[in-house]
């Protein structure tokens, strides 16, 4: 379980996170939503330990981040998998080397074991025969799948995704969403996704947190988001006519 | 204020760079890759420039000491001294600051703006140690060899220019380069080179690592890194010359 306790963060005097608290459970796919500038990315970076909150704390299965030594923080990070918005694959290395990188760095596996593991995770994300290609030779959707494969290669406890569907067509986006949800269930991970994509939110958001101007404005799930009366949430989620109609139909039923 | 902040940040960066590598095998692999990128791939341009500048230095010296009172062997002597003391260590380092410095800044800067450095940090990798230390070690270990090569080719270029122009004889030139040979001057040049190599690897890494924005900012950072690396080399050259020869 990840417990976020009243975290605050400012940049250049601007208060970005104003006391956000939340709890994330095993095997749940949680979505962080909110408009641009709401503090989603800063929140995710705090969870990843890339930004230190000024106040508050984050507890990873009983381990408080603020009380960890640098070594313990590095150890914690080995339990974290991250899928970046642009994939963040190492473009000078082949797909196989990208996936093998955490194994090479943190395990003593033999080259054969590493190759087998890389092939296994590539197969798991439905990619084959791409081992010797470079990231630039793959499509955006394939790069995202490689990024997911790299994120899960160390069997992480926590998976974080920053806009995993940005720049993808709707069909590929659904493939990626389903893949993330399947992997979350299969590996019993805590998955936290930053997203703007309302399709994803409705599809896999077992827990949804809506941030507005650095405050947790609303919390619920894809089942309750249709029924909420929170004006800020409805303004954000139902800004498109399509979703307005979906909501009307849903509430009629 | 910004300059002071950057100087402080640069030294904090060095604190992270000079830590024990997380895995020696990966460090060794990166080191050989960097020796290839920063060292071996620079040999061509170094050889080309050294040969021709050595030739020009010899011709200029010959044309400027064209007096019956000045012995001809002084052309070889002056060419040798110019090349060993300044041209090979300092001029070559400024050239390498342009070639290698812009490569280092743009490669690390691109990794920064495409979140590859964040990816390393999230994995638990000390990104500065992983990315910068092999570059520093490769440059400090390999650049002295490049500078030795530049010395040899520069002096050889001088000899070839005499042969081709007929301004001085081969015997005179060889007598000049053998005259008053002081091994300490070569050591002095190599010490300077190692200091400059450290600067060439670390300042561009600093500019690349802390770049913010997109590709345009990476381009600007590359330019800035080359300018500042060259300035620091020239300033250090002044102090090192005073310290080691003064």
């Amino acid at each position: 379980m990840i417990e976020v306790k009243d975290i605050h963060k400012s940049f250049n005097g601007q208060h970005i996170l104003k006391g956000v608290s939340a709890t994330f459970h095993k095997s749940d796919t949680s979505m962080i939503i909110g408009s641009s500038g709401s503090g989603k990315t800063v929140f995710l970076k705090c969870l990843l330990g890339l930004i230190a909150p000024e106040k508050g704390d984050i507890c990873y299965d009983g381990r408080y981040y603020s009380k960890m030594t640098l070594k313990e923080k590095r150890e914690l990070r080995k339990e974290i998998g991250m899928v970046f918005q642009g994939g963040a694959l190492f473009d000078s290395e082949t797909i196989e080397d990208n996936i093998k990188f955490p194994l090479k760095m943190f395990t003593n596996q033999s080259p054969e074991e590493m190759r087998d593991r890389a092939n296994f995770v590539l197969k798991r994300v439905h990619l084959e025969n791409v081992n010797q290609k470079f990231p630039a030779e793959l499509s955006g959707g394939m790069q995202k799948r490689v990024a997911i494969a790299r994120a899960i290669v160390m069997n992480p406890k926590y998976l974080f995704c920053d806009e995993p569907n940005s720049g993808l067509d709707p069909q590929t986006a659904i493939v990626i969403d389903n893949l993330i949800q399947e992997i979350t269930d299969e590996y019993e991970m805590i998955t936290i996704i930053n997203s703007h994509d309302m399709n994803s939110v409705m599809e896999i958001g077992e827990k949804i947190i809506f941030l507005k101007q650095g405050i947790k404005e609303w919390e619920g799930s894809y089942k309750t988001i249709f029924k909420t009366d929170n004006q800020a949430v409805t303004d954000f989620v139902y800004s498109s006519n399509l979703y307005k109609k979906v909501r009307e139909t849903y509430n009629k039923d | 204020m910004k300059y002071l902040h950057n100087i402080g940040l640069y030294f904090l960066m060095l604190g992270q760079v000079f830590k024990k590598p997380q895995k020696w095998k990966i460090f060794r692999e990166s080191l050989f890759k960097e020796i290839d990128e920063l060292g071996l791939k620079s040999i061509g341009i170094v050889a080309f420039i050294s040969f021709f500048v050595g030739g020009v230095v010899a011709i200029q010296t010959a044309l400027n000491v064209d007096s019956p009172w000045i012995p001809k062997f002084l052309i070889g002597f002056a060419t040798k001294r110019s090349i060993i003391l300044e041209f090979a260590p300092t001029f070559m380092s400024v050239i390498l600051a342009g070639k290698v410095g812009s490569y280092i800044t743009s490669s690390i800067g691109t990794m920064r703006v495409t979140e590859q450095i964040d990816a390393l940090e999230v994995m638990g990798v000390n990104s500065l140690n992983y990315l910068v230390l092999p570059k520093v070690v490769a440059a400090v270990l390999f650049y002295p060899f490049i500078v030795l090569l530049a010395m040899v080719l520069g002096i050889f270029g001088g000899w070839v220019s005499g042969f081709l122009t007929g301004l001085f004889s081969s015997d005179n030139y060889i007598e000049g380069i053998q005259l008053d040979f002081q091994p300490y001057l070569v050591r002095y040049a190599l010490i300077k080179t190692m200091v400059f190599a450290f600067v060439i690897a670390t300042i561009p890494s600093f500019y690349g690592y802390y770049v913010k924005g997109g590709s345009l900012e990476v381009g600007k950072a590359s330019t800035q890194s080359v300018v500042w690396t060259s300035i620091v080399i020239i300033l250090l050259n002044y102090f090192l010359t005073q310290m080691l020869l003064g």
Side-chain angles (χ1 to χ4, degrees), chain B:
Chain B
M1 204 59 195
K2 195 184 157 201
Y3 291 120
L4 278 177
H5 170 82
N6 281 346
I7 291 167
L9 197 58
Y10 171 76
F11 284 105
L12 285 174
M13 178 193 88
L14 293 183
Q16 286 298 310
V17 170
F18 290 101
K19 289 213 163 146
K20 192 180 138 203
Q22 282 166 291
K23 201 140 194 191
W24 285 103
K25 195 181 165 207
I26 292 189
F27 173 75
R28 267 199 309 275
E29 279 175 16
S30 304
L31 179 63
F32 287 124
K33 213 166 112 183
E34 297 301 348
I35 285 176
D36 180 48
E37 282 295 336
L38 310 183
L40 295 174
K41 286 183 179 163
S42 304
I43 285 179
I45 186 80
V46 167
F48 178 80
I49 294 174
S50 306
F51 181 81
F52 283 98
V53 172
V56 170
V57 169
I59 292 170
Q60 289 280 19
T61 312
L63 292 173
N64 285 286
V65 296
D66 191 19
S67 158
W69 301 103
I70 300 173
K72 286 283 184 192
F73 63 74
L74 270 183
I75 297 165
F77 179 77
T79 305
K80 176 191 73 178
R81 280 285 166 100
S82 315
I83 286 168
I84 290 178
L85 291 175
E86 287 308 322
F87 167 72
T90 311
F91 191 47
M92 268 307 137
S93 294
V94 172
I95 287 166
L96 288 171
K99 184 193 176 285
V100 173
S102 58
Y103 162 75
I104 292 175
T105 306
S106 56
S107 61
I108 296 181
T110 304
M111 287 186 79
R112 166 61 76 198
V113 299
T114 55
E115 296 181 309
Q116 292 175 50
I117 290 178
D118 286 342
L120 285 169
E121 287 290 328
V122 169
M123 284 178 206
V125 176
N126 175 349
S127 58
L128 277 168
N129 176 270
Y130 171 72
L131 293 171
V132 183
L133 187 63
K135 289 179 174 56
V136 177
V137 176
V140 172
L141 287 181
F142 200 76
Y143 283 174
F145 292 104
I146 287 196
V147 165
L148 283 175
L149 179 77
M151 288 175 188
V152 172
L153 286 173
I155 293 169
F156 177 65
W159 178 80
V160 172
S161 70
F163 176 75
L164 293 176
T165 58
L167 285 169
F168 50 88
S169 73
S170 173
D171 289 345
N172 281 335
Y173 187 79
I174 290 168
E175 189 188 347
I177 60 175
Q178 287 175 336
L179 181 73
D180 192 27
F181 179 73
Q182 295 178 32
Y184 175 71
L185 295 184
V186 177
R187 280 207 298 280
Y188 151 80
L190 295 182
I191 291 168
K192 279 207 307 190
T193 304
M194 289 169 96
V195 175
F196 297 157
F198 181 84
V199 170
I200 290 169
T202 53
I203 292 182
S205 296
F206 170 81
Y207 275 97
Y209 193 82
Y210 293 106
V211 73
K212 281 186 186 139
S215 48
L216 185 67
E217 283 74 18
V218 173
K220 282 181 187 169
S222 292
T223 310
Q224 270 188 313
S225 84
V226 172
V227 169
W228 278 106
T229 308
S230 305
I231 290 172
V232 172
I233 287 173
I234 298 297
L235 286 175
L236 283 175
N237 185 40
Y238 181 83
F239 292 113
L240 286 169
T241 304
Q242 181 63 28
M243 277 164 64
L244 298 169
L245 293 183

Side-chain angles (χ1 to χ4, degrees), chain A residues 9-24:
Chain A
K9 183 69 194 173
S10 306
F11 289 105
N12 302 324
Q14 205 186 343
H15 212 161
I16 306 294
L17 292 179
K18 299 166 186 163
V20 180
S21 299
T23 309
F24 302 98

